[in-house]
């Protein structure tokens, strides 16, 4: 899907947040599957650690949630939605976070 002028800025911001999230997860010893598999996700404790590691994390989390790229699963863990997974796979390749 080609972004329109209206969605280009949001997609760029989403991509920046996804990239930042991937780097933070890696530094904390997580894998991308932590957030790409709907029944896994990050609990609030893990999110506090990410927030402590990066001044930008809380903003990125809000951007991901407000754009519907991330949500809270039934276990109250932070996970990417289909949109978030699609953008992440577009950026890093499907094999980077294989959900199968």
């Amino acid at each position: 899907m080609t972004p329109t002028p209206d969605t280009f800025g949001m997609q760029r911001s989403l991509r920046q947040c996804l990239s930042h999230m991937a780097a933070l997860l890696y530094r904390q010893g997580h894998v991308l599957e932590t957030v790409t598999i709907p029944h896994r996700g990050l609990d609030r404790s893990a999110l506090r650690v990410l927030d402590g590691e990066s001044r930008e994390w809380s903003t990125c989390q809000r951007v991901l949630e407000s754009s519907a790229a991330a949500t809270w699963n039934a276990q109250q863990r932070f996970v990417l939605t289909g949109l978030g997974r699609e953008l992440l796979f577009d950026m890093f390749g499907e094999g980077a976070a294989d959900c199968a």
Side-chain angles (χ1 to χ4, degrees), residues 10-75:
M10 178 178 276
Q11 281 198 5
R12 189 180 82 213
S13 182
L14 278 173
R15 289 175 186 273
Q16 288 170 336
C17 287
L18 287 166
S19 179
H20 187 63
M21 178 189 67
L24 284 171
L25 289 174
Y26 176 75
R27 284 194 296 255
Q28 291 299 315
H30 293 282
V31 294
L32 292 178
E33 286 86 350
T34 302
V35 292
T36 60
I37 297 175
H39 67 272
R40 291 196 61 195
L42 296 166
D43 63 19
R44 293 186 190 279
S45 174
L47 292 173
R48 280 192 297 275
V49 171
L50 293 178
D51 193 42
E53 287 288 315
S54 168
R55 294 184 313 221
E56 294 86 21
W57 173 251
S58 62
T59 300
C60 279
Q61 183 178 340
R62 281 192 304 275
V63 167
L64 291 168
E65 287 182 80
S66 67
S67 65
T71 192
W72 296 90
N73 66 15
Q75 296 80 26

